[in-house]
Amino acid sequence: LVQAVKCSGLLDDEIMLDELCAYLTETLEENTLYILGSGGTLKHLKESLGMAHPTLLGVDVWYQGEVLLHDAHEKQIYELIQSYDQVKIILSVIGGQGIVLGRGNQQISARIIEQVSIESLQFISTQTKLLALNGRALTVDSGSDSLNQRLAGFHKIICGYEDFVLYEIAYA
């Protein structure tokens, strides 16, 4: 049995975003290519990384302080990852919908995830977004039933500075 998500005290969204981004920027790994998904939470992270014109609806690729791809397409990302040993993909929860993959970030395709591994995925969200789901599971729509099925289960969601929850991703 698993209880519904418990989050450590609600904070103002802006403070939560700042703490989340501070934690992520402090824990970035050297020699790692980062594929940064779409959405407001990731736009905040991109700004924290010093990106001049981060995309809200697009996917950007970042490596050691430099934007390698801005508003990237799937083919560009796939070709780029072939040259890197370490790749991480950071995805955020779409507020109110609970979708983490497949809507709004189709550029991060099943073949990209297969290439870099499911373990390379990092999920982020504010506590407010998770609480707004009222216990509903997160969903994925990668375009691959096999990948969707392997993503099903509980995953660590980074919510703030050293603040994590385990949250379910459902296979629909």
Side-chain angles (χ1 to χ4, degrees):
L1 297 176
V2 178
Q3 288 182 302
V5 65
K6 291 182 181 179
C7 296
S8 60
L10 290 175
L11 302 171
D12 177 76
D13 274 348
E14 194 68 26
I15 294 171
M16 283 193 282
L17 280 173
D18 288 343
E19 287 185 4
L20 173 59
C21 293
Y23 177 75
L24 289 169
T25 56
E26 288 179 19
T27 58
L28 292 174
E29 297 176 18
E30 291 284 321
N31 302 315
T32 300
L33 182 77
Y34 284 90
I35 300 169
L36 306 171
S38 58
T41 303
L42 277 158
K43 183 174 188 266
H44 200 86
L45 173 62
K46 294 171 189 180
E47 290 167 346
S48 297
L49 292 172
M51 290 187 183
H53 304 287
T55 56
L56 174 64
L57 301 177
V59 173
D60 297 323
V61 180
W62 187 86
Y63 182 75
Q64 296 191 171
E66 184 180 343
V67 178
L68 301 184
L69 294 173
H70 179 73
D71 199 12
H73 298 285
E74 191 273 350
K75 184 178 179 186
Q76 292 173 306
I77 298 169
Y78 186 76
E79 289 173 358
L80 183 63
I81 64 174
Q82 304 309 312
S83 304
Y84 291 86
D85 293 328
Q86 285 284 105
V87 179
K88 297 242 180 193
I89 301 170
I90 302 178
L91 300 171
S92 67
V93 174
I94 296 176
Q97 298 177 18
I99 298 169
V100 290
L101 183 65
R103 307 235 176 102
N105 57 18
Q106 295 90 344
Q107 305 91 317
I108 303 170
S109 66
R111 78 175 180 156
I112 288 172
I113 295 169
E114 298 285 0
Q115 179 75 30
V116 300
S117 84
I118 290 174
E119 290 76 25
S120 72
L121 297 174
Q122 290 185 311
F123 301 102
I124 66 173
S125 177
T126 62
Q127 297 171 2
T128 306
K129 282 185 183 180
L130 293 178
L131 289 172
L133 295 172
N134 295 317
R136 288 189 336 259
L138 300 174
T139 58
V140 293
D141 184 10
S142 70
S144 165
D145 285 339
S146 170
L147 179 59
N148 292 348
Q149 190 171 13
R150 284 182 284 135
L151 282 169
F154 285 85
H155 294 268
K156 180 171 87 172
I157 310 292
I158 303 169
C159 293
Y161 199 93
E162 294 184 356
D163 186 13
F164 317 95
V165 296
L166 286 178
Y167 206 92
E168 183 180 13
I169 292 179
Y171 173 66

